[in-house]
Amino acid sequence: MTLYHFCLLLFAFTWSASAYGPNQRAQKKGDIILGGLFPIHFGVAAKHQDLKSRPESVECIRYNFRGFRWLQAMIFAIEEINSSPTLLPNMTLGYSIFDTCNTVSKALEATLSFVAQNKIDSLNLDEFCNCSEHIPSTIAVVGATGSGISTAVANLLGLFYIPQVSYASSSRLLSNRNEYKSFLRTIPNDEHQATAMADIVEYFRWNWVGTIAADDNYGRPGIEKFREETEERNICIDFSELIAQYLPEDQLQQVVKVIQNSTAKVIVVFSSAPDLEPLIKEIVTRNITGRIWLASEAWASSSLIAMPEFFHVMGGTIGFALKAGQIPGFREFLQKVHPKKSANNGFIKEFWEETFNCYLPEGNKNFPGAAAFHKGRDDGAGTGNGMAAFRPPCTGEENITSVETPYMDYTHLRISYNVYLAVYSIAHALQDIYTCTPGKGLFTNGSCADIKKVEAWQVLKHLRHLNFTNNMGEQVDFDESDGLIGNYSIINWHLSPEDGSIVFEEVGHYNVYAKKGERLFISENKILWSGFSKEVPFSNCSRDCQPGTRKGIIEGQPTCCFECVECTDGEISDETDASACEKCPENFWSNENHTFCTPKQIEFLSWTEPFGIALTLFAVLGIFLTSFVLGVFTRFRNTPIVKATNRELSYLLLFSLLCCFSSSLFFIGEPQDWNCRLRQPAFGISFVLCISCILVKTNRVLLVFEAKIPTSLHRKWWGLNLQFLLVFLCTFVQIVICVIWLYTAPPSSFRNHELEDEIIFITCNEGSLMALGFLIGYTCLLAAICFFFAFKSRKLPENFNEAKFITFSMLIFFIVWISFIPAYASTYGKFVSAVEVIAILAASFGQLACIFFNKVYIILFKPSRNTIEEVRCSTAAHAFKVAARATLRRSNVSRKRSNSLGGSTGSTPSSSISSKSNHEEPFALAAPAEQQHPHGCKQKVSFGGGTVTLSLSFEEHQKNAVASQNAKHRNSLEAQNSDDSLMRHKALLSLRSSDPLVSEPNAQTPPGPDANPQESAVEETQQAAQGFEGEQPPLSATRLRDFVGSDSIVENAVHS
């Protein structure tokens, strides 16, 4: 059985070795062998295997100068370690390096040779075979390049715990230690790179990108991580395509079509250069320009893509590159390469031919292995990048420094340094084994491994615990993901003005150790977009929303596709592409552009605004006019007009009007708690005081003129004390309402933000609308009662128009306050106060004008009418009318009686006065014509169906004969026309003179000097009128003379 396994493994090893002849590997003997996997070629030639004959190994094509430089870095590191006196002294490292041709199949062929050799050594078959030279097993492998290739290699090496240290495989899937047990790497995984790419997209404010990824374990996980990062940053992906090196033509055309039709101008590519190359060539063919390419580390500095003929499409590419390292002496080592000096490197010959575009002459002994190389080519097993017939022969004198190839680009050693670091990591792990002290080892019971018989799994154990300082002074250790954490350089593709080559200009860096938000640094002034522009390209689904607007969602579209919606009033956005608008603070409002908040306008009925000034001037005018009227009344307080208007009540009424005009000023100015609490009570109490005075005055006039004969009881109830008491009681009710209001719900200043958005109205919160309703309602109730009395007494007397003016003033009052209610309800802000001020002023001016202006006019401009005779004359007409109506009623009653008895149509002799009927022509009562006295007056009195004109003269009593003559004249008038159907009588009105009527028992005490002349006249005339209403006979001459006293009355009754 053992022999069977031996034969099987030996066959596998022999087959693997036959596929890799001397010219297809770099190999050197040593005590410990390190394996190497490098992409010396970019791919293999497509070859159909029909299986009619034994399958042949596929041919590798398209030489990779960078891959050969990476191989040289491994050889340089091994030789440097072998020459080091401190690192692995007395031990020699050898190597066995193979070309993967950037394919999984070739990589697995090489890996199988590593595994087969290790398995042969583990079987210890030296006693069964007599080998001339023993090849040690491979204890570690450096490689491979692509993540997809490394994944396949790791699966195979992991079965035998052979450590694999990759220098370029960055897929985050390889961090799974459970699946890839022996995989380690000296390159950061793609998780950091994907995050860095998302940070760049966010930095330039791009939110509409396309993604392209290689369809392998490098591209798919990398782009998936990038997609996760973009979702957190609100970046949308327009399209996402997968590519491969051998993608079918129709699929490749479809990917190009998607790129061409997309509105995304930024394309993120996670791919290796060989996988991306076919796509870029097709894009160049179609001349699809104006795109910004964001390159992952795998192709950002690849010479396969960074070609001058691609620059018009790929210029301005932003890419990630590993942090460059320093390898002292490596430049000189690269320059010393020569086929004569590199017998152990089977790849040098092809490198020389590709570099100088020549071929090695067949049979040239100066080049070891040349014959075998060309023999292999003739047999179809060579590399076959070109036939010798098309190239001149190589002389061997070519200068490697005279040719510009990626091989000599040692200015930024990134992957090369990772190779260098991988070799040193393995060497330091071996050094730890070499210097291990028994009892302090990593194995069971602290044992140590034997450096001379070290096995791969023991090296893997020490690699996982590795910690050393590299030549740049940096600490090197493998983290939990079996990789190194490193930083990235950000490069930008420029076109060199000197030779037209592509230059990788470093424009920033990404520090994975920094805290989030501070990892990315970019120098924008160094970036050339599309190879020549300084303007950052636009790659957004929608245009940026300017300050003052926000992004609005478009239904059915990604979140990056939006419409700009203007912020609503009261909200702002002060940044571009705001997702939401911010609401302004309570006392602020947005400006017109909605970019910042401004303090709201404070508005109230101010003293300084034109409206407030106008209202103030009217209030002051009202106060001045009221004060003027009060001064006039005070100056002429003893005149009949002033006395007739109830002087004391007039003073109180004028004072209340002063309060009314003054209360309007409380509504002007900034409302504060004190004036809010004061203005409504001041208004209410002032108006109630005014209406109460008018009510008492109106009621008194009505009582005076309606009373039959004034008595002492009337004088008692008409006294000033009772009048003031009534005014006080009416006003006291309003005071009680105000006190309750202020105690339970006092008004206060209130800032109203709701009426208008941009204005804060400072108003008064009345506290209780019910209380305000009671206040105004009570005022209107008193006004209604006052209006009722004034309207009822509007014709008492006809010539004494005090009641008429009160009626007019009450009408104005009601018109004002009825209009006030809808105006008050329909206005807001400062206009509420303005409406109330206007109502107060209008009502106050109405009261002042209707009640006092006529009297002031008479006092100042018609002093002849301001006499006692004028006042008595106005009341005499009323008394005559009352008496005439009484007599007319008695005559009508007598006529009805006579008609019922004898059918006579005549009137009774007792009738003194009769008026014409509506259908009869009146006749005049003749009287002796006498000269009109200057103190006389004429009054027209209408009653029944006729009109009588009275001419009254007030004369000094000189002779009793005058009175007797008047009496005889009246008797003669009564005797005439007794047979007429109607008797005309003349009512005699007795007006008291200054002399008392001592003979009359019912005579009243004469009023004092300040007595109301109106009241005195009314009392006297009503006494006369009482005689007509009784059943006593008509007035005789003697009774008339006794009634009249010293005054004489000359009456002329004229029919109308």
Side-chain angles (χ1 to χ4, degrees), residues 185-211:
R185 53 187 164 190
T186 57
I187 185 175
N189 65 52
D190 291 332
E191 185 171 359
H192 299 294
Q193 186 177 185
T195 303
M197 296 174 82
D199 286 343
I200 286 184
V201 174
E202 184 181 29
Y203 177 85
F204 289 110
R205 304 182 66 84
W206 297 323
N207 65 8
W208 192 239
V209 300
T211 62

Side-chain angles (χ1 to χ4, degrees), residues 680-681 683-684 734 737-738 741 770-779:
Q680 295 292 4
F683 145 71
Q734 186 77 306
I737 294 175
C738 293
W741 182 9
M770 182 181 295
L772 180 61
F774 275 118
L775 184 142
I776 297 179
Y778 179 69
T779 305

Side-chain angles (χ1 to χ4, degrees), residues 708-710 876 879-880 883 957 963 967 970 987-1004 1016-1028 1032 1034-1049 1051:
K708 304 302 181 181
I709 297 179
F880 175 82
H957 179 69
R970 180 185 182 281
L988 299 180
L989 305 177
S990 176
L991 299 177
R992 291 179 57 89
S993 66
S994 59
D995 298 334
L997 189 63
V998 295
S999 62
E1000 190 68 36
N1002 293 332
Q1004 302 296 329
S1016 302
V1018 169
E1019 291 174 2
E1020 295 170 359
T1021 55
Q1022 285 179 337
Q1023 290 174 2
Q1026 185 69 27
F1028 289 98
Q1032 68 271 19
L1035 293 172
S1036 64
T1038 304
R1039 182 173 177 82
L1040 177 63
R1041 183 169 52 251
D1042 294 339
F1043 180 78
V1044 173
S1046 62
D1047 294 338
S1048 64
I1049 304 177
E1051 306 171 5

Side-chain angles (χ1 to χ4, degrees), residues 291-600:
R291 304 299 191 272
I292 299 300
W293 300 83
L294 191 56
S296 64
E297 172 273 330
W299 70 275
S301 57
S302 173
S303 59
L304 199 62
I305 307 298
M307 301 175 66
E309 54 267 30
F310 295 167
F311 189 79
H312 68 285
V313 172
M314 306 301 294
T317 296
I318 300 292
F320 286 88
L322 299 175
K323 183 178 178 181
Q326 301 294 330
I327 305 178
F330 186 54
R331 176 181 179 183
E332 291 76 11
F333 179 80
L334 293 178
Q335 293 175 352
K336 291 179 181 179
V337 65
H338 197 276
K340 296 179 180 179
K341 305 175 182 178
S342 304
N344 298 322
N345 193 342
F347 302 104
I348 193 89
K349 302 173 183 63
E350 185 179 3
F351 164 75
W352 198 264
E353 289 185 332
E354 295 294 333
T355 301
F356 299 104
N357 196 23
C358 64
Y359 72 95
L360 295 174
E362 184 177 355
N364 192 334
K365 303 300 182 181
N366 294 328
F367 299 96
F373 171 75
H374 287 282
K375 181 180 183 299
R377 176 180 297 175
D378 295 339
D379 293 339
T383 54
N385 281 325
M387 297 302 296
F390 298 98
R391 293 178 177 178
C394 300
T395 63
E397 301 298 329
E398 293 85 359
N399 185 4
I400 193 67
T401 59
S402 63
V403 182
E404 291 187 2
T405 61
Y407 171 78
M408 294 301 297
D409 184 13
Y410 45 78
T411 55
H412 297 91
L413 300 177
R414 296 183 174 92
I415 301 297
S416 299
Y417 183 76
N418 286 350
V419 174
Y420 180 81
L421 193 60
V423 175
Y424 265 89
S425 299
I426 299 172
H428 278 279
L430 293 173
Q431 179 69 15
D432 292 342
I433 296 175
Y434 180 78
T435 59
C436 178
T437 303
K440 297 182 179 180
L442 300 177
F443 305 103
T444 306
N445 299 324
S447 60
C448 298
D450 186 0
I451 191 62
K452 295 181 179 180
K453 297 181 179 180
V454 64
E455 297 184 28
W457 65 271
Q458 294 173 328
V459 177
L460 177 61
K461 179 68 173 179
H462 278 270
L463 279 172
R464 289 180 177 177
H465 294 79
L466 182 66
N467 192 335
F468 72 99
T469 303
N470 61 11
N471 64 328
M472 296 179 64
E474 298 175 346
Q475 199 71 20
V476 177
D477 59 348
F478 295 100
D479 60 7
E480 294 181 357
S481 60
D482 295 324
L484 299 180
I485 298 178
N487 300 326
Y488 293 97
S489 296
I490 301 173
I491 59 176
N492 182 224
W493 289 14
H494 291 186
L495 192 64
S496 175
E498 299 176 356
D499 54 6
S501 62
I502 293 180
V503 178
F504 305 123
E505 180 71 22
E506 186 170 341
V507 295
H509 63 267
Y510 187 83
N511 184 6
V512 298
Y513 297 100
K515 62 182 180 180
K516 192 173 182 179
E518 298 180 359
R519 298 173 181 174
L520 181 65
F521 171 78
I522 294 180
S523 180
E524 292 189 49
N525 58 342
K526 295 182 179 180
I527 299 178
L528 291 179
W529 302 103
S530 298
F532 58 87
S533 176
K534 286 287 187 179
E535 183 180 358
V536 179
F538 179 82
S539 184
N540 297 69
C541 184
S542 302
R543 285 288 175 181
D544 294 342
C545 291
Q546 298 302 316
T549 61
R550 63 171 179 84
K551 295 187 289 187
I553 297 175
I554 301 177
E555 188 175 357
Q557 295 291 331
T559 57
C560 300
C561 301
F562 52 82
E563 58 182 352
C564 296
V565 181
E566 186 176 0
C567 293
T568 58
D569 292 337
E571 295 183 346
I572 64 163
S573 64
D574 55 357
E575 59 183 11
T576 304
D577 272 350
S579 299
C581 298
E582 298 179 2
K583 192 173 182 180
C584 290
E586 184 179 11
N587 294 332
F588 290 81
W589 195 249
S590 58
N591 65 331
E592 184 177 356
N593 297 327
H594 301 278
T595 55
F596 60 89
C597 294
T598 58
K600 288 185 178 180

Side-chain angles (χ1 to χ4, degrees), residues 614-627 661 664-665 841 845:
L615 294 177
T616 303
L617 291 178
F618 277 106
V620 173
L621 177 63
I623 294 172
F624 171 76
L625 292 178
T626 306
S627 302
F661 283 114
S664 65
L665 298 177
L841 294 179
F845 275 114

Side-chain angles (χ1 to χ4, degrees), residues 20-35:
Y20 285 86
N23 296 314
Q24 293 178 302
R25 71 167 64 183
Q27 181 172 327
K28 182 181 179 180
K29 297 179 181 180
D31 300 325
I32 298 175
I33 301 297
L34 303 183

Side-chain angles (χ1 to χ4, degrees), residues 786-827:
C786 182
F787 176 76
F788 171 76
F789 285 135
F791 182 79
K792 186 176 180 181
S793 60
R794 68 190 183 282
K795 295 183 179 180
L796 299 176
E798 293 177 358
N799 298 82
F800 186 76
N801 46 19
E802 175 89 5
K804 290 183 180 179
F805 291 142
I806 293 175
T807 303
F808 292 148
S809 68
M810 289 297 102
L811 283 176
I812 294 174
F813 181 88
F814 278 113
I815 291 173
V816 168
W817 289 106
I818 289 175
S819 303
F820 163 78
I821 294 174
Y824 186 88
S826 61
T827 55

Side-chain angles (χ1 to χ4, degrees), residues 36-53:
L37 298 173
F38 293 92
I40 308 302
H41 295 85
F42 284 114
V44 295
K47 187 175 182 179
H48 178 65
Q49 302 285 356
D50 57 5
L51 301 180
K52 292 182 179 180
S53 60

